[in-house]
């Protein structure tokens, strides 16, 4: 049972319960013992006061043996009624009066040369200068043979002006009383706590059973769902109950399953797209090469078809390079060569490199720069690739005679670059997916079928590797806009000297 979560919780819960009951029993026993001793001491203090009053009367009215006998009888009656043993001792430790004292205690007392019982140690009778004192136990071993605990109250006395010569009598009155109820309490308290602890443990077992069943149920569901997910079944979800930590864990688990399902779908789509993108040019290449080798294609047309084969090989090479570049970017293996450069100049060079595409589709290009020169700190080659991909994407989806705009502006320590076209735009439901691998919105922007859907994914990963942001904005029928940020930099010294 200790191997399961239920068993562990139950063992810990019951162990804590037992420890708490045990500690409480011990502390309560000590507390009751001290309380009983305090109450008994108060009672014995009254006995000591009465003893002192009787001793005072006896010493002042002493008339031979008769008064001594009366005093002794009074002490015995007082001791019997209070259930105590009373000793009257002088300052030298001699016990001159005692009554109701067990014989075993008298055997532990020594006698002096005068035949008086005497307290054998100085610490057994109190020093002068205090009102009263009490202690519990066996009174330094004198009551050890009784087998019970005793409370002893020590009350010093000093009676002066004793006739006929005005003498002073000093000593101490010791009143002892055993505590038989304490012995019973010492065993009854643990017994009560054992019984109550057993009942409490049973109740705790039922409560823990109910609680752990509620805690373990979603965990069991997660375990079974995890097995299904490992087998490729992503349909399992955990029922969310309440708003506690278990509910939050269930919610996170379901979110993880959704992410894994999306990842698996992306993986399958990735393999499907790769297979399709590679199979098409390979089929074309194989067909043309077989045609040349079989003589189906005449020699005078072979160069034309070999040119097509070369273009398809380049397309395959670009696809493979894009996949490798994307994998390196996503794995964080790509090293950035951070330099300071003019982002406006980079835009101009990218537009020049795509000039033939602009001319072919009769597109108008507009540059809206906040300043003539705007410097950023980034990897110049990587950012040039970002701009080329975005401009190529804009050219691809802008109809003939359309317009493409590139804007650059600065805001505090960042630079914002916008690439906007006036093409058909991106549907709202497709906008969140435009940066995904192999995603193509050709079903609504089907102006060009040559892309494989890796350009924007590469753009996004390059910008993220710079710890910057990129987003897409679009309204269907009103074009699309891609906006990314870069870290602003001061102009290099060579430009500041111009």
């Amino acid at each position: 049972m200790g191997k399961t979560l239920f068993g562990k919780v139950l063992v810990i819960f019951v162990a804590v319960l037992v420890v708490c009951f045990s500690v409480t029993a011990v502390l309560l026993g000590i507390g009751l013992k001290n309380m009983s001793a305090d109450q008994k001491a108060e009672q014995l203090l009254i006995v000591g006061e009465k003893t002192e009053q009787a001793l005072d009367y006896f010493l002042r009215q002493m008339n031979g043996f008769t008064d001594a006998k009366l005093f002794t009888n009074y002490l015995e009656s007082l001791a019997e009624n209070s259930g105590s043993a009373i000793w009257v001792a002088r300052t030298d430790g001699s016990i001159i009066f005692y009554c109701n004292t067990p014989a075993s205690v008298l055997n532990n007392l020594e006698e002096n040369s005068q035949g008086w019982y005497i307290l054998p140690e100085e610490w057994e009778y109190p020093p002068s200068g205090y009102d009263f004192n009490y202690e519990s136990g066996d009174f330094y071993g004198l009551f050890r043979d009784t087998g019970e605990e005793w409370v002893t109250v020590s009350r010093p006395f000093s009676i002066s002006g004793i006739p006929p010569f005005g003498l002073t009598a000093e000593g101490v009155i010791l009143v002892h009383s055993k505590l038989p109820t304490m012995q019973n309490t010492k065993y009854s308290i643990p017994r009560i706590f054992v019984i109550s602890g057993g009942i409490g443990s049973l109740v705790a077992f039922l409560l823990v059973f109910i609680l752990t069943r509620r805690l373990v149920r979603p965990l069991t569901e997660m375990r079974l769902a995890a097995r299904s997910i490992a087998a490729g079944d992503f349909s399992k979800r955990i029922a969310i109950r309440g708003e506690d930590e278990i509910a939050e864990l269930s919610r996170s688990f379901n979110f993880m399953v959704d992410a894994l399902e999306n990842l698996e779908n992306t993986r399958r789509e990735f393999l499907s797209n790769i297979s399709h993108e590679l199979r098409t040019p390979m089929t074309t290449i194989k067909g043309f090469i077989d045609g040349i080798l079989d003589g189906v294609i005449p020699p005078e047309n072979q160069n034309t078809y070999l040119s097509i084969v070369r273009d398809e090989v380049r397309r395959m090479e670009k696809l493979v390079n894009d996949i490798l570049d994307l994998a390196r970017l996503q794995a964080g293996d790509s090293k950035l060569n951070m330099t300071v450069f003019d982002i406006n100049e980079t835009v101009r060079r990218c537009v020049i490199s795509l000039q033939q595409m602009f001319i072919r589709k009769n597109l108008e290009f507009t540059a809206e720069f906040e300043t003539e020169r705007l410097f950023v700190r980034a990897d110049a080659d990587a950012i040039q690739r970002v701009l080329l991909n975005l401009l190529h994407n804009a050219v691809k989806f802008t109809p003939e005679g359309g317009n493409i705009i590139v804007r650059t502006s600065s805001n505090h320590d960042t630079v914002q670059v916008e690439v906007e076209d006036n093409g058909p735009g991106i549907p709202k439901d497709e906008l969140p997916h435009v940066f995904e691998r192999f995603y193509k919105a050709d079903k609504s922007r089907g102006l060009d079928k040559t892309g494989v859907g890796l350009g924007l994914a590469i753009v996004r990963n390059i910008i993220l590797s710079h710890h910057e942001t990129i987003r897409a904005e679009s309204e269907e029928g009103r074009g699309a806009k891609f906006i990314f940020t870069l870290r602003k930099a001061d102009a290099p010294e060579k430009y500041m000297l111009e």
Side-chain angles (χ1 to χ4, degrees), residues 37 43 49 57 81 129 171 191 195 224 241 250 260 264-265 290 296 305 338 350 358 446 468:
Q43 298 173 2
E49 291 175 353
Y57 179 83
N81 292 332
R191 185 166 56 251
I195 296 174
L224 297 176
R241 306 175 182 89
S250 301
L260 289 175
E264 177 64 17
N265 292 335
D290 287 343
V296 177
Y305 288 101
M338 305 296 286
C350 291
F358 281 88
E468 297 296 334

Side-chain angles (χ1 to χ4, degrees), residues 297-305:
I297 298 175
E300 61 272 15
N301 295 331
Q302 288 181 5
N303 287 338
T304 301
Y305 288 101

Side-chain angles (χ1 to χ4, degrees), residues 364-399:
E364 180 182 350
F365 174 77
T366 304
E368 297 181 1
F369 298 155
E370 184 181 81
T371 60
E372 181 64 21
R373 286 175 176 167
L374 186 57
F375 293 91
V376 297
R377 181 173 181 80
D379 187 318
D381 293 336
I383 298 305
Q384 183 172 345
R385 186 174 185 181
V386 168
L387 287 169
L388 285 172
N389 281 348
L390 292 178
L391 285 170
H392 190 276
N393 192 69
V395 171
K396 183 193 305 183
F397 295 108
T398 301

